[in-house]
Amino acid sequence: MLVDRTGAIVWGCVPRVDGDPVFCSLLNSSHRDAGIWRFELEGQVSSSQEYIRNTPILVTRLEAEDGSCVEVLDFCPRYENKGRMYRPVGIGRIVRPISGNPRIRVVLRPMNNYGASLADTTNGTNHIRYLVSGQTLRLSTDAPVGYILEQRTFRIEEDTHFFLGPDEPFMGNLREEIRRMEQATRKYWQQWVRGLATPVEWQDEVIRCAITLKLCQHEETGAIVAALTTSIPEAPHSERNWDYRYCWIRDSYYTVQALNRLGALDVLEKYLAYLRNIVDSAKGGQIQPLYSVMGESELNETTAAYLAGYRGMGPVRVGNAAYKQIQHDCYGQIVLPTVQAFIDRRLLRMADERDFESLEQVGEMAWAMHDQPDAGLWEFRTRQEVHTYSAVMSWAACDRLAMTAEWLGKEERAKLWRERADAVRAKIEAEAWVENGEEGGHYGASFESDYLDASLLQMVELRFLSPDNDRFQSTFAAVEEHLRRGDHMLRYAAEDDFGAPETAFNVCTFWLIEALHLAGRDAEARKLFCTMLSHTTQSGLLSEDLDYETGELWGNFPQTYSLVGVINCAGLLSKPWSEVR
C-alpha cells in the first residue's frame, strides 16, 4: 500500500503486489473519488507525517483552520501468531481526535480490473463487503457504516478503528483487537531493526531503506520485486512506462547483497529458497531476467485501458515483455548470493552437495554465454550486443564457483572453474578494451562498440578489478566525463529504443559515489551522497530516476536499486563505530 502526503491510500494491489490495483488513484488522478481510501477533515489546511521509529507504521496528522486535528495511524499486521507469521492481505487504520471538534468524511472506493469499475458492495451492521478481483474484502469498523456508504461528514469524538482485509469476522472486541495487532506489529519491526548492523552515520536513512526493502519481498515465496508500482514514467511523456512489480534476478541480487551487509539474513534465506525453485524449473537451461513473485515465467505485456496514467502520462502497462529477453548477467546474479549458503554457518539451511551440482548448471550457462550477445542489463528492446557487464558477471559466476569448490574440497572442480574464469577474463580484456591514443583508453559497454555505460563502475564491486588498477582508473575518468551531469549520473548517453535518456538513473549516481570513495575523493563523495539524500521523499525513500536539472523524482516507487544505493554508500562513507565508543 502507498499512502500520499494527506494520508490517502492511492495504490494497493490485491491479492499480491502484482495483482489488480484496487486502490489505483495514483494512476487515475482525473477521478478523485475512485480507487482511493482517504479521511477528509472538514476545513483541513495542513497535513504532516512521520513513521513510528524503526517501523513502517505511519502517522498522518491532519489539521483544520478552526484548530481541530486528527491523527491517522496506518499499519499492515505482521507478527508471529500460533507458530506462524500472521500477515494477512489487509490494512488497519486508527483515526484519533487530537484537538477541537473534528469532523471527517470517509471516502473508501476500491476498483476492479485496473480501474474498469467500482467494486460492488454489500453491508451488515458493522461491516461492508467489497467484491474486488474475484474475491471479497471486508471492512470491519466501529464507525457508523451508513456514514461511510453515503460518504457523509460526521464528528469523530473518540478513537475510531478500521480494518480492511479478508472476508472474516473479528472475534471479540474490534477496538481491542486492532490495537493489539498494531502493538504486536510495532514490536515485530522494532525487534527486527534491533538486529541490523547499521553504520554510525545516517542510521535513520539506512533503517528506513532496510525496512522498505524487506517490504518488497513476497513473504510466501521469497521473491523480491523491483518496485511496488507500474508505469510511473522515467521522464515526462517519455512512454518509458514499465511494470516493475516482478522479481528481477538482477535487482534482487543487489537487494540481498545490501541487506546481507546489515545482517538481515532472513531476507537472504527466503530469497535463496525462491532461487532454488527457479533453478529447478530451468532444468539446466536458460534463466529468464525476471519472474512473477510465484515464479511464473510468462508475464505478457498489455495496457490498462481504463487508467490514464501518472499525471495522465500513459500508457499503464501490465506485465513486462522483458521476460522474453536474453540477459546473460542473470547467471552470475544467481551464483553470487547462493555462494554464501555454502559458507555462512548462521543460516538455518546451509547448501549441500546437491545444491552445488545444481549451481554448477547455472555456471555452465554463464560459461557458455559469456561471449554471446544479449539485451544487457538496461534491457534494450531492439538490439543485442556482447555487453561487458554481462561478461563480467559470467566471469564472477565462474570465479565464485571456483572459490566454493575450493571451500568444499573439490579440487578438480575448482581447477575447472578457475580455468574458465581466467578464459573469460582474457576475453573481456581483449574484446572490451578500447584504445584511445594518448588518453590510454577505457572499457566499452560492449565488445562491439566504444560507448560507455555506468555499469562499468561495478567492475571493482564484482572483484574483477582493484580500485588502483590503471584500466579501472581510466575507465572511471571516461565514464565520469561522458555520463556525469552535475551531481548525478546517466546510465548511458547514447540513444536507445526511445531516444536519448532525459533523466539520471539514481543507482548509477550511487555507483558514482562509490567510485569517488574508491578514488580517494571522500569529501566529494560525501557531498554527493548528502545531495542524493536531500532528494528523498518525505518518507525517506527514492524512485528510480531523477531530473538532474530540477531534482524531481521520476520512475517507479519505491525502487529497490535506489534504496540499495543508500545503504551501500552509507556503509562506505560513515565513520567507524570505534570513533564513538
Side-chain angles (χ1 to χ4, degrees):
M1 301 285 183
L2 295 185
V3 181
D4 74 6
R5 293 182 179 182
T6 68
I9 297 177
V10 296
W11 184 257
C13 301
V14 171
R16 305 184 324 218
V17 64
D18 57 357
D20 189 4
V22 297
F23 297 114
C24 55
S25 67
L26 180 70
L27 302 182
N28 201 32
S29 56
S30 59
H31 299 284
R32 185 172 183 271
D33 285 349
I36 199 166
W37 185 5
R38 68 173 180 269
F39 300 104
E40 296 180 354
L41 175 63
E42 189 174 71
Q44 181 178 324
V45 293
S46 67
S47 64
S48 59
Q49 287 177 315
E50 63 178 355
Y51 285 107
I52 293 176
R53 191 173 75 89
N54 293 353
T55 79
I57 301 173
L58 182 66
V59 179
T60 304
R61 188 180 183 93
L62 307 177
E63 297 182 88
E65 57 188 354
D66 66 357
S68 297
C69 176
V70 297
E71 285 186 348
V72 181
L73 184 147
D74 287 327
F75 73 99
C76 291
R78 181 185 177 84
Y79 51 88
E80 189 170 316
N81 184 39
K82 298 180 180 178
R84 294 182 296 177
M85 190 61 65
Y86 179 66
R87 44 176 176 77
V89 180
I91 183 168
R93 313 193 79 180
I94 303 173
V95 182
R96 291 174 171 152
I98 302 300
S99 63
N101 299 303
R103 290 167 53 81
I104 66 168
R105 184 170 79 110
V106 182
V107 180
L108 174 52
R109 305 191 80 193
M111 303 195 81
N112 272 304
N113 191 24
Y114 286 83
S117 63
L118 289 168
D120 291 333
T121 65
T122 60
N123 65 279
T125 304
N126 296 303
H127 71 266
I128 305 171
R129 290 190 179 95
Y130 299 89
L131 182 61
V132 293
S133 304
Q135 60 184 306
T136 302
L137 294 179
R138 175 193 288 244
L139 175 72
S140 299
T141 182
D142 50 14
V145 167
Y147 288 164
I148 298 171
L149 289 169
E150 298 179 16
Q151 296 185 40
R152 291 185 179 275
T153 301
F154 61 97
R155 180 181 288 199
I156 179 166
E157 298 180 331
E158 60 181 349
D159 288 7
T160 307
H161 305 79
F162 303 81
F163 186 81
L164 182 68
D167 187 20
E168 301 167 356
F170 267 83
M171 304 304 293
N173 185 287
L174 175 75
R175 176 191 186 95
E176 293 178 0
E177 182 64 14
I178 291 179
R179 287 185 173 186
R180 185 193 65 80
M181 292 165 65
E182 187 272 326
Q183 288 296 316
T185 300
R186 183 186 305 211
K187 181 178 179 180
Y188 167 83
W189 282 106
Q190 290 177 338
Q191 288 293 324
W192 185 79
V193 168
R194 192 165 174 259
L196 297 180
T198 59
V200 174
E201 298 179 85
W202 304 294
Q203 290 185 55
D204 289 338
E205 291 85 351
V206 167
I207 288 169
R208 182 56 48 206
C209 289
I211 287 173
T212 306
L213 288 179
K214 182 172 173 61
L215 290 171
C216 287
Q217 183 169 55
H218 185 65
E219 181 84 11
E220 187 176 1
T221 64
I224 300 169
V225 298
L228 299 178
T229 58
T230 177
S231 303
I232 301 180
E234 296 178 11
H237 304 288
S238 64
E239 295 194 13
R240 297 177 188 263
N241 300 14
W242 313 115
D243 192 349
Y244 277 8
R245 301 171 299 158
Y246 305 108
C247 182
W248 267 259
I249 301 300
R250 179 187 314 111
D251 300 53
S252 300
Y253 154 69
Y254 281 107
T255 298
V256 297
Q257 179 196 53
L259 288 176
N260 189 45
R261 286 170 173 163
L262 299 177
L265 290 183
D266 58 332
V267 176
L268 171 66
E269 286 184 309
K270 291 183 176 69
Y271 178 63
L272 290 178
Y274 177 80
L275 276 187
R276 287 191 289 270
N277 282 311
I278 294 296
V279 171
D280 288 349
S281 298
K283 298 183 179 4
Q286 179 183 317
I287 301 291
Q288 292 180 190
L290 68 153
Y291 296 84
S292 81
V293 295
M294 299 302 292
E296 297 161 324
S297 58
E298 291 191 14
L299 305 172
N300 294 317
E301 188 175 297
T302 60
T303 58
Y306 300 100
L307 295 177
Y310 180 71
R311 302 187 189 176
M313 300 178 195
V316 172
R317 302 187 200 272
V318 181
N320 198 305
Y323 84 90
K324 299 178 181 178
Q325 290 186 353
I326 306 299
Q327 295 177 30
H328 298 318
D329 56 319
C330 63
Y331 302 110
Q333 287 144 358
I334 288 177
V335 172
L336 266 62
T338 305
V339 163
Q340 184 173 345
F342 295 93
I343 299 171
D344 194 336
R345 301 195 65 82
R346 296 172 299 169
L347 297 173
L348 294 175
R349 182 199 183 278
M350 294 190 67
D352 56 23
E353 296 279 339
R354 291 184 181 180
D355 292 316
F356 184 73
E357 293 172 5
S358 180
L359 197 60
E360 282 193 298
Q361 295 180 27
V362 179
E364 291 290 349
M365 289 298 295
W367 165 245
M369 298 300 171
H370 75 271
D371 59 354
Q372 298 301 303
D374 69 355
L377 82 162
W378 307 124
E379 300 180 347
F380 297 120
R381 293 199 166 199
T382 59
R383 69 175 189 263
Q384 290 194 346
E385 295 176 315
V386 182
H387 288 93
T388 303
Y389 177 84
S390 297
V392 172
M393 267 295 179
S394 294
W395 168 84
C398 297
D399 176 76
R400 304 313 194 271
L401 281 167
M403 182 193 73
T404 305
E406 290 169 359
W407 180 270
L408 297 175
K410 297 177 178 291
E411 295 182 5
E412 289 299 317
R413 302 310 295 172
K415 181 175 181 292
L416 171 69
W417 288 111
R418 181 58 56 207
E419 289 174 348
R420 289 179 170 181
D422 291 343
V424 177
R425 174 184 286 278
K427 188 78 170 181
I428 294 169
E429 296 289 8
E431 300 293 338
W433 184 254
V434 179
E435 291 291 347
N436 193 18
E438 295 181 0
E439 296 181 15
H442 60 79
Y443 290 101
S446 75
F447 289 8
E448 294 90 344
S449 59
D450 61 357
Y451 78 95
L452 294 151
D453 84 42
S455 69
L456 296 168
L457 300 180
Q458 288 288 284
M459 297 175 91
V460 170
E461 171 68 28
L462 293 170
R463 305 207 303 257
F464 185 82
L465 297 174
S466 62
D468 59 355
N469 180 278
D470 290 342
R471 286 194 164 188
F472 175 72
Q473 290 182 8
S474 61
T475 298
F476 174 34
V479 168
E480 186 175 14
E481 178 184 356
H482 288 87
L483 301 183
R484 184 170 175 176
R485 300 293 186 270
D487 292 337
H488 306 284
M489 179 75 87
L490 303 179
R491 49 188 164 179
Y492 49 83
E495 288 196 5
D496 60 16
D497 316 331
F498 292 81
E502 302 172 61
T503 51
F505 205 70
N506 287 329
V507 72
C508 295
T509 302
F510 288 117
W511 290 348
L512 168 64
I513 293 167
E514 292 173 9
L516 290 170
H517 166 73
L518 294 172
R521 296 158 62 182
D522 271 4
E524 188 177 357
R526 288 178 69 94
K527 177 179 178 294
L528 292 191
F529 185 53
C530 291
T531 296
M532 284 301 295
L533 293 180
S534 74
H535 291 299
T536 59
T537 63
Q538 189 177 7
S539 59
L541 305 176
L542 286 166
S543 62
E544 180 184 46
D545 307 274
L546 183 145
D547 187 317
Y548 51 83
E549 293 183 348
T550 68
E552 186 174 11
L553 293 173
W554 288 92
N556 283 308
F557 178 87
Q559 177 74 13
T560 53
Y561 260 159
S562 302
L563 307 186
V564 162
V566 174
I567 292 172
N568 289 345
C569 288
L572 283 175
L573 299 175
S574 172
K575 61 186 178 185
W577 277 97
S578 60
E579 292 189 10
V580 297
R581 286 174 178 159

